[in-house]
Amino acid sequence: SIDAELVQLNASIANYAELSVDRGLLVSRVKKGSYAEQAGLRGGANAVRYGNGRRATVIYLGGDIITQIAGQPISSLTDYYAILEDKKPNESVDVTVLRGNKTLKLTLTLSERNE
């Protein structure tokens, strides 16, 4: 897996954060000292509450948006799990991210799955 808190983008998050895309995975936080951090994946810095009542959670805006993994488009968490299903820990994958208005390709090493 990728050692980061990922949030599936939707139109309401994209509009609120004034993003140019509404599909992909927002990198909310990156685990310190992880392969993801070493590869340069960036989480957000702007904490906001998302959702209502008991279901509300804090997400961090301003981080990278994952749009592809291993050349496959990512628009949902389902895509993420499907692509990584047959990958192994310590395997490297190319991850395409949108950072601001730039598209970057990072190569990162996968970690053990955190179930």
Side-chain angles (χ1 to χ4, degrees):
S1 73
I2 295 173
D3 276 331
E5 291 175 24
L6 304 174
V7 177
Q8 184 172 310
L9 278 184
N10 59 38
S12 65
I13 295 172
N15 288 337
Y16 179 83
E18 300 178 355
L19 300 174
S20 60
V21 295
D22 63 2
R23 294 179 160 249
L25 298 179
L26 172 70
V27 180
S28 180
R29 301 296 255 170
V30 176
K31 185 177 176 184
K32 296 270 185 236
S34 67
Y35 291 134
E37 183 182 57
Q38 291 169 20
L41 196 65
R42 290 190 190 162
N46 305 320
V48 297
R49 286 186 70 74
Y50 178 70
N52 296 318
R54 290 177 175 248
R55 300 195 68 174
T57 185
V58 174
I59 63 174
Y60 294 84
L61 301 177
D64 292 336
I65 298 166
I66 297 174
T67 57
Q68 289 186 6
I69 297 175
Q72 301 294 311
I74 299 290
S75 60
S76 67
L77 286 166
T78 303
D79 295 340
Y80 168 80
Y81 290 118
I83 290 168
L84 294 185
E85 186 174 43
D86 57 356
K87 305 281 185 210
K88 307 245 183 305
N90 299 316
E91 192 173 332
S92 291
V93 293
D94 288 331
V95 177
T96 303
V97 300
L98 184 64
R99 181 175 293 162
N101 57 6
K102 293 183 179 159
T103 299
L104 305 171
K105 188 176 278 190
L106 308 173
T107 299
L108 63 86
T109 303
L110 298 174
S111 64
E112 294 284 342
R113 279 197 178 91
N114 296 327
E115 300 299 337

